[in-house]
Amino acid sequence: MDKVRIKLLIIDDEKDIRDSLKDILIDEGYEIHLAENALEAKKIKVIPNF
Amino acid sequence: MKYLITSVAVIGLGFLILLAQSLSNTDLVSNDTFIVLLVISIAFVVCLFLLIIFQVFKLLQSVRKEITGSKLTLRLVISFGLMVLIPVSIVYLVSVNFLTKSIESWFDVRVESALEGGLNLGQKTIDILIDDIELKGKSIAYAIANKPYEKREDILIDLREKFSISSAVLYKNDGSISAISESNPTIKSTTISLEDIRRVQNGYFGRIEETKNKNLLLKAFIPIFYNDKNQTIDLIGSEEILMLSQPVPESISNMAISVESVFEEYQQLRYSRNSLKIIYTLTLTIVLMLAILTSVAISFVLSRRFTRPLSLLSEATNQIAKGNYKKIIPEVGKDELGILVKSFNSMTYQLDTATKNSKKNRKRLEEARAFLDATLTNLATSIVVIDKNINIKLYNKSAAKLLNFKLSNMVGENLKNAVKDMQKFQTIFNFIEESLGKKNKITDISKEIVIGSKEDEKTLILKLSALDESSGISYIIVLEDISTVAKAQRQIAWSEIARRLAHEIKNPLTPIQLSAERVQNKIIGKLNEADKELLNKSTNTIIKQVDALKLMVNEFAEYSRTPSVVRKSINIAELIDEISYLYSDQNIEIKKNYPKKIKEIKIDENKFRQVIINIFDNSKAATEKIKNPKILITVKNNKNFIMLKFEDNGIGIPTEIIDKIYEPYVTSKKTGTGLGLAIVNKIIEEHSGDIEIKNTKPNGVCILITLPLMEIKNG
């Protein structure tokens, strides 16, 4: 179970789309980060050099 | 003509002078020259008379024809004629009277007796002289006879000198001279004629003779009988003749000759007295006639000269009255008439210029008016000019069409009466009346007015402005039908709504679909069979409806997208064939009517494909419940256009939506989005084309699309 968790960043201005995508993709076993726009996305430094 | 008259008159006068001169000569009646002259003069008089008659005839004719100036000429001729005729007639009458009297007085009895007395006196004097010389001859003869014959010559000389006789000659019987004595030897009258010798045998005699020098010579012839007793030679019985010659004294002879000749002349004249009178009277008459006729002839010429400029003026005036300003009168001189003619000419010129100018101005005005008329007529904007009582003064075609006038010419009619459907335009009239009722001066009022019922709605902009004219105040009503503009605005608004709607609807659709799928995936394993089926059914419904929603939203998006046309030269018939092939398996009959040669046209193929598919779809839907569904496609070429006609025999378009058929969201189909024809219309517009959709009889729809072959650049 030492599987490398793939990290995903979902950027969408619609909260519903972000949330539903997050739920589905978490079920699929991805690590999910959310951002409403590019500015917000830059604050999340999950991935270096993103 | 005037030269003819003048020359005839002058020649006549010349002959008249000759006639008068020849009249002063003696021996009138037998004078051939005189008679010839008389005849010629009469001929001239006749000629002149005929000429004048001809002239008068001509003049009267022209008076009857009312030729300008002829009346004046006639009056002048009559005046001139009378001016000459009256004094000349008086002079003539007096002259004739005087002439007759004088001729009578010449032949007075006293004159005649005096002349006769004078003649007798001369005769008597000569008789006395003859007696005297006879006596002297007898004395000499006696003296010679009683003396011896030898002494005869001495006695002859002696006695001749004593009696102072110029010549004494003694002839023998045979005529030879026996003795001679002459005072002046130059007088060579020494011959004796045989007749005289014979005559003297009967006794002495005396007579008067005319010499070669026209002198009178007294002659006396006396026989001499010698006495016997005195004779010494044998001459007894023989006789000799004595001839005495003595010239009559010159004074007496001259007087006698003149008296005699005058008397002779007088006698002649006495016999031809009456003919003389006639000749004088005739000459006088001819003189009179010539004078009168000449003066009449001259009066003709003068009258013509006077009236010519006047008649020219009069004629020119007539011409000007008729509108001919080109008439220029030739100048006649420097007198008042000449000045008049000059002024007239300059007046004519000015009139001509003025008329030309006014014509030019009028033409310019007419042109301007025609231009304005044409502009007004072809103007899409409706214009009506009314006065303060709302009576129509002027309107254009668009106005008549928009307001739906009753008759073709409604000028002067009240605007309210002119309009057929009062109800429809009530708002307009109310507004106009309200505006005119205001006391303030109207300056450019503008108002947007919507007229008509819902199906036949029109949006108008009404502009009202006052126009102060000399004939009173006028109001100009400008009506602009902005229905199309309003429609376009509405379409733009719809477009915007569609775009937003598409965006707004599309956004939640994805999460809805995702969520439904997730619910299905997550929960389906935990449910029993019955619940599983319910879940599947419900989530499938959600997903399907969301798909339908997406389709609709995409169509909205398509409608509201920004136009970008990619043109390509294609054969439109091939495109139609390609699409109609897709419908060939369905039970709709597709008929095609193409021309032999179809011109290529530059259009956006994909967009046109959509147009044709939309039309086919509509026809298919309309013919669903028709027995023999048909579509007839007609293509026509033109120099500038390609025309596409799609006709079907479907149920047609409901009349309540036919005017709004291009607007989005208008549809007669239960499942339609109402965007099909809106998109078609938009694409056709993008290609600068034209689309017309109408219902056909008995049923069906006809769609007519016209596309320009040349690409029309927008903007």
Side-chain angles (χ1 to χ4, degrees):
Chain A
M1 196 62 195
D2 213 28
K3 194 175 165 187
V4 179
R5 292 211 4 153
I6 295 166
K7 293 176 185 170
L8 289 176
L9 176 59
I10 297 169
I11 308 170
D12 198 298
D13 58 338
E14 288 288 329
K15 194 180 179 294
D16 285 344
I17 290 177
R18 285 201 305 267
D19 289 348
S20 42
L21 277 176
K22 189 184 102 185
D23 289 350
I24 292 167
L25 291 172
I26 284 172
D27 285 354
E28 297 292 327
Y30 298 99
E31 188 184 324
I32 302 297
H33 297 269
L34 299 175
E36 199 182 341
N37 47 45
L39 205 71
E40 219 171 284
K42 278 188 177 174
K43 289 178 190 168
I44 305 163
K45 298 191 171 159
V46 190
I47 306 157
N49 306 323
F50 186 75
Chain B
M1 196 52 170
K2 68 178 180 186
Y3 297 113
L4 189 66
I5 290 175
T6 325
S7 54
V8 166
V10 165
I11 293 168
L13 276 175
F15 274 102
L16 208 66
I17 291 161
L18 285 176
L19 187 74
Q21 268 184 352
S22 74
L23 201 67
S24 64
N25 289 349
T26 50
D27 204 5
L28 292 169
V29 187
S30 59
N31 198 330
D32 287 342
T33 330
F34 172 76
I35 296 212
V36 168
L37 282 175
L38 192 68
V39 168
I40 290 173
S41 296
I42 289 172
F44 266 106
V45 166
V46 170
C47 277
L48 256 179
F49 187 70
L50 288 178
L51 251 175
I52 283 163
I53 291 286
F54 175 65
Q55 286 288 302
V56 168
F57 182 70
K58 253 176 77 174
L59 189 59
L60 285 176
Q61 227 171 21
S62 59
V63 167
R64 212 169 298 137
K65 279 183 192 162
E66 295 185 342
I67 290 169
T68 48
S70 56
K71 273 184 189 163
L72 189 66
T73 314
L74 185 69
R75 268 156 76 179
L76 274 173
V77 165
I78 289 170
S79 316
F80 280 131
L82 283 179
M83 256 162 66
V84 174
L85 195 67
I86 291 167
V88 166
S89 308
I90 292 167
V91 169
Y92 170 73
L93 286 175
V94 171
S95 307
V96 168
N97 205 15
F98 186 69
L99 192 72
T100 322
K101 281 260 171 67
S102 354
I103 288 172
E104 283 299 329
S105 70
W106 293 350
F107 304 105
D108 205 316
V109 182
R110 279 169 298 176
V111 175
E112 201 178 335
S113 58
L115 267 176
E116 263 173 42
L119 202 63
N120 284 342
L121 189 67
Q123 202 70 49
K124 279 280 174 341
T125 313
I126 287 168
D127 283 351
I128 289 165
L129 285 172
I130 290 171
D131 282 350
D132 181 53
I133 202 164
E134 274 173 2
L135 198 67
K136 280 171 182 168
K138 271 194 271 185
S139 305
I140 293 166
Y142 182 77
I144 290 167
N146 288 322
K147 291 282 160 53
Y149 180 71
E150 292 79 22
K151 290 216 175 157
R152 67 185 189 278
E153 196 162 12
D154 298 333
I155 295 164
L156 193 68
I157 293 163
D158 184 36
L159 284 178
R160 186 195 63 80
E161 277 173 359
K162 273 183 184 159
F163 286 129
S164 65
I165 286 170
S166 63
S167 153
V169 186
L170 209 56
Y171 297 99
K172 286 179 182 166
N173 264 351
D174 57 354
S176 59
I177 294 168
S178 157
I180 188 163
S181 165
E182 286 179 321
S183 62
N184 188 355
T186 51
I187 301 169
K188 300 280 186 200
S189 55
T190 51
T191 51
I192 185 163
S193 64
L194 283 173
E195 197 191 339
D196 285 338
I197 293 168
R198 221 172 309 153
R199 192 179 161 191
V200 86
Q201 309 280 318
N202 305 325
Y204 68 90
F205 72 92
R207 68 180 159 103
I208 192 156
E209 252 180 32
E210 209 170 320
T211 63
K212 283 169 191 164
N213 307 329
K214 296 263 175 190
N215 291 326
L216 287 178
L217 198 63
L218 293 167
K219 276 190 176 172
F221 300 86
I222 302 116
I224 299 174
F225 303 99
Y226 290 104
N227 293 327
D228 296 342
K229 55 182 179 178
N230 293 332
Q231 297 315 312
T232 53
I233 53 165
D234 53 347
L235 281 171
I236 294 160
S238 74
E239 306 173 357
E240 284 189 335
I241 299 157
L242 175 69
M243 189 189 79
L244 294 179
S245 300
Q246 171 79 345
V248 176
E250 215 164 288
S251 56
I252 292 173
S253 88
N254 280 351
M255 230 177 321
I257 287 169
S258 83
V259 167
E260 201 181 309
S261 71
V262 165
F263 189 70
E264 251 174 46
E265 214 173 288
Y266 177 78
Q267 290 292 335
Q268 262 185 6
L269 279 174
R270 223 162 73 105
Y271 289 123
S272 60
R273 180 163 62 176
N274 279 330
S275 60
L276 194 68
K277 254 196 264 179
I278 289 167
I279 282 164
Y280 273 108
T281 314
L282 191 66
T283 312
L284 204 60
T285 311
I286 289 168
V287 172
L288 175 85
M289 294 305 279
L290 260 179
I292 288 174
L293 293 177
T294 307
S295 53
V296 168
I298 289 169
S299 80
F300 263 105
V301 174
L302 283 180
S303 307
R304 288 256 160 78
R305 268 187 70 159
F306 278 132
T307 53
R308 198 173 145 266
L310 286 178
S311 59
L312 279 175
L313 270 176
S314 155
E315 198 185 326
T317 316
N318 275 342
Q319 291 284 332
I320 286 166
K322 280 176 194 161
N324 177 11
Y325 301 106
K326 295 275 173 276
K327 187 95 188 168
I328 298 290
I329 307 166
E331 296 191 2
V332 285
K334 287 185 176 173
D335 56 357
E336 284 81 354
L337 273 174
I339 291 165
L340 186 63
V341 165
K342 235 182 221 170
S343 331
F344 188 88
N345 278 344
S346 88
M347 185 192 78
T348 311
Y349 176 73
Q350 280 171 12
L351 254 177
D352 189 22
T353 320
T355 317
K356 265 184 200 157
N357 278 342
S358 87
K359 258 186 198 164
K360 219 186 276 171
N361 284 342
R362 204 163 49 202
K363 202 180 164 195
R364 217 177 289 156
L365 260 174
E366 273 168 9
E367 274 169 7
R369 208 192 144 78
F371 177 73
L372 190 68
D373 269 357
T375 314
L376 269 182
T377 308
N378 295 319
L379 205 61
T381 310
S382 310
I383 292 170
V384 182
V385 180
I386 53 166
D387 62 9
K388 59 176 185 274
N389 299 320
I390 323 186
N391 288 329
I392 300 171
K393 284 172 94 173
L394 185 80
Y395 65 90
N396 67 354
K397 222 154 85 182
S398 310
K401 200 175 156 194
L402 178 72
L403 296 173
N404 200 4
F405 281 174
K406 284 174 189 165
L407 296 169
S408 56
N409 187 8
M410 299 305 300
V411 172
E413 201 68 31
N414 193 290
L415 185 61
K416 281 183 177 178
N417 297 336
V419 174
K420 258 186 200 165
D421 188 1
M422 266 285 290
Q423 213 62 41
K424 192 173 162 187
F425 302 105
Q426 196 57 50
T427 34
I428 294 178
F429 298 141
N430 288 345
F431 177 72
I432 291 169
E433 275 174 347
E434 195 187 311
S435 302
L436 296 191
K438 279 178 191 164
K439 281 189 178 173
N440 299 351
K441 205 182 164 193
I442 297 168
T443 45
D444 294 342
I445 303 171
S446 181
K447 196 183 180 202
E448 199 173 314
I449 293 175
V450 179
I451 55 161
S453 57
K454 275 196 175 167
E455 288 85 37
D456 189 19
E457 201 180 80
K458 269 182 183 166
T459 314
L460 302 178
I461 286 187
L462 192 151
K463 281 180 193 160
L464 186 67
S465 43
L467 184 69
D468 260 321
E469 279 179 321
S470 53
S471 54
I473 197 157
S474 298
Y475 299 95
I476 303 172
I477 303 168
V478 179
L479 283 167
E480 210 159 346
D481 188 351
I482 55 157
S483 300
T484 350
V485 180
K487 204 166 120 185
Q489 276 176 345
R490 211 149 50 199
Q491 283 202 11
I492 291 168
W494 268 114
S495 220
E496 183 63 23
I497 291 165
R499 198 182 60 76
R500 282 193 190 182
L501 212 60
H503 185 75
E504 293 300 320
I505 291 170
K506 240 170 137 180
N507 274 341
L509 284 182
T510 313
I512 289 170
Q513 217 167 15
L514 285 175
S515 301
E517 279 170 2
R518 191 156 174 255
V519 167
Q520 198 178 26
N521 290 340
K522 274 250 168 176
I523 308 219
I524 202 148
K526 300 173 185 171
L527 293 175
N528 54 27
E529 276 306 306
D531 288 342
K532 239 184 219 174
E533 202 177 318
L534 179 73
L535 185 71
N536 264 339
K537 207 178 164 188
S538 300
T539 47
N540 280 344
T541 307
I542 293 171
I543 291 163
K544 231 165 87 186
Q545 289 301 323
V546 167
D547 271 337
L549 258 175
K550 265 187 182 168
L551 177 75
M552 197 178 88
V553 168
N554 278 337
E555 281 199 3
F556 269 129
E558 171 66 23
Y559 180 74
S560 59
R561 103 219 107 79
T562 45
S564 67
V565 182
V566 184
R567 284 175 189 265
K568 199 166 88 182
S569 233
I570 60 152
N571 187 335
I572 197 141
E574 284 172 8
L575 184 65
I576 295 169
D577 287 345
E578 190 189 315
I579 296 159
S580 64
Y581 179 75
L582 297 175
Y583 292 83
S584 58
D585 56 332
Q586 298 173 26
N587 68 336
I588 188 160
E589 187 190 343
I590 298 171
K591 271 189 178 176
K592 288 165 197 163
N593 184 9
Y594 295 160
K596 277 180 188 166
K597 197 185 168 201
I598 294 173
K599 289 180 182 169
E600 295 226 316
I601 184 166
K602 270 190 155 185
I603 48 171
D604 190 316
E605 192 178 346
N606 284 331
K607 288 194 173 174
F608 249 84
R609 194 185 295 271
Q610 198 175 353
V611 167
I612 295 163
I613 288 171
N614 270 340
I615 291 169
F616 272 113
D617 277 345
N618 280 344
S619 291
K620 209 184 111 193
T623 54
E624 249 174 358
K625 289 169 186 172
I626 302 291
K627 259 190 178 176
N628 298 311
K630 270 185 208 167
I631 299 179
L632 174 63
I633 304 161
T634 312
V635 179
K636 272 185 188 169
N637 275 327
N638 189 321
K639 194 182 168 191
N640 300 318
F641 297 97
I642 277 188
M643 216 170 70
L644 310 173
K645 196 154 85 177
F646 300 89
E647 288 164 286
D648 66 32
N649 58 349
I651 51 168
I653 301 159
T655 44
E656 64 264 23
I657 64 158
I658 197 156
D659 279 353
K660 298 180 179 181
I661 200 154
Y662 305 121
E663 287 177 22
Y665 235 57
V666 174
T667 182
S668 61
K669 290 182 275 184
K670 278 178 185 164
T671 55
T673 57
L675 286 169
L677 280 176
I679 290 165
V680 166
N681 188 33
K682 203 165 175 177
I683 291 168
I684 299 294
E685 269 181 11
E686 280 164 16
H687 284 86
S688 311
D690 201 22
I691 182 164
E692 191 185 340
I693 300 177
K694 58 187 177 190
N695 281 327
T696 53
K697 283 178 181 176
N699 54 356
V701 173
C702 172
I703 299 175
L704 195 71
I705 297 170
T706 315
L707 292 169
L709 282 171
M710 301 298 291
E711 189 178 339
I712 297 170
K713 300 270 179 198
N714 284 326

